[in-house]
Structure formats: structure tokens, C-alpha cells
Amino acid sequence: MSPFNPFENGVSIEIEDLVERRKALVRQTWRSIEFAKDSKFTAAFYERLFQKYPEVIPMFSKISLEAQAMKLYEVVSVAVRCLDDLDGLVPVLQDLGARHASAYGVQRGHYGVVTEIFVEVLYDFLYSWWPKESTGSTSVFLLDVTDAWSWVLNLIGEVMADAGDEAMAAKTPEKVSAVI
């Protein structure tokens, strides 16, 4: 007799349901940030980013931390509001990605770092608000939130990185012809 396999008849995971759940969690947690922390959250993001990855600090030498935190806060707010209109959001992200690559030297690998730090700071903020006596439900909720934000930030990062790669590839022939 073969061992019991709960998945032998297949697992039905509705991708649309998962995507909608992720969107709802992203909206819900971002609303919490907006009401409680606003750009203080994104300022904490940059503080942690600079602590863990000091090599990126020169990319931000022409702007104050406060101004940069506000810009990130505004971009994330727009992205969260546009989760149901990805066709409208993608061109905005492509433009941002191309400009970040051309003007600041942002590379594909930087987007993974952004996701890592953003999720860490979000986890810390949410955990600090959660009642400590409900650790089981807290852990499950925070895992779901981490998954949701990782999904949306990876989506944003991929779109921006692709646009950045294209922008830099388009600039390369100019550099080659200038050398010749």
C-alpha cells in the first residue's frame, strides 16, 4: 500500500484568488503605514538601506534623505492605488526604471535589495504594532504580508529593471561611436 498523499488528486489553487489576496494585503498594510507613519516609514527604509548597503549612498548624494523618502512614499502610494490598473502603471514604472538606470546607475540587482529592505522594515513596523500575546496569528499574518509585498515589489522591480536594461543598451552604441 502506498503512503497517503493529500495532493494525489491535484491541488486547486486559484491564481486569481491568490493575486487578489496579495493586492488586498498590500493595500491594507500600506493604509496602515499612511495613517501611522507616512514618509517616516520610507525614511526608516533608507536608514536601513544605507546601514546594510553603504555602497549605494553615493547614488543619493544629490538629494536629501527627507526628500528621497517622500519621493519613495509617493511612488509606492501610486503603485498601491494602481494595482488594479497594471496597464496604466507599467509605463510609469518603465519611465522610472529607464531614468534610474541612466541618471543614477541603478542596476537590476539593486531592485532585489530594495525588496529585501522594504519587507524587513515593513515587518518590523507591523510587528511592533501587533499585540504580543497573539504570536501565532501574528506570524501567519506577517508571512502573508511578506509574501504579498515581495510579490508586488518583485513585479515592480522586474518592470523597472527591464526598462533600465533597455535604456542602458540604447546608450551603449552612442558610447562606442564616440570612441571610434
Side-chain angles (χ1 to χ4, degrees), residues 2-165:
S2 63
F4 173 69
N5 180 353
F7 304 113
E8 68 184 87
N9 294 324
V11 177
S12 176
I13 298 176
E14 296 296 329
I15 298 300
E16 294 84 19
D17 291 345
L18 178 61
V19 168
E20 290 307 314
R21 174 150 173 75
R22 285 172 168 165
K23 287 179 184 179
L25 283 167
V26 166
R27 285 186 191 104
Q28 177 185 6
T29 52
W30 190 249
R31 249 190 326 271
S32 298
I33 297 298
E34 286 178 317
F35 290 122
K37 296 291 182 182
D38 59 66
S39 64
K40 293 178 189 86
F41 172 82
T42 49
F45 163 83
Y46 282 108
E47 289 169 15
R48 174 103 32 110
L49 175 68
F50 296 158
Q51 282 176 336
K52 285 186 84 169
Y53 298 96
E55 64 272 16
V56 302
I57 293 172
M59 294 176 152
F60 301 92
S61 63
K62 295 179 181 168
I63 189 166
S64 73
L65 177 62
E66 295 81 19
Q68 184 61 41
M70 185 52 77
K71 283 184 174 193
L72 178 61
Y73 176 79
E74 290 169 355
V75 167
V76 173
S77 294
V78 167
V80 169
R81 282 194 304 275
C82 293
L83 285 176
D84 288 326
D85 182 21
L86 293 180
D87 291 338
L89 180 60
V90 166
V92 173
L93 296 175
Q94 288 172 325
D95 180 59
L96 266 175
R99 284 189 288 133
H100 277 75
S102 298
Y104 309 111
V106 175
Q107 299 172 1
R108 181 171 293 277
H110 292 123
Y111 293 101
V113 169
V114 167
T115 298
E116 170 197 337
I117 301 299
F118 193 98
V119 169
E120 280 181 18
V121 173
L122 181 64
Y123 182 96
D124 290 348
F125 271 76
L126 294 175
Y127 187 79
S128 71
W129 298 335
W130 207 269
K132 301 303 179 234
E133 62 274 1
S134 59
T135 55
S137 60
T138 302
S139 296
V140 171
F141 177 74
L142 291 176
L143 285 172
D144 283 349
V145 168
T146 299
D147 170 70
W149 275 99
S150 295
W151 167 76
V152 78
L153 292 170
N154 284 325
L155 177 74
I156 290 169
E158 279 297 310
V159 171
M160 291 180 70
D162 288 348
D165 291 348

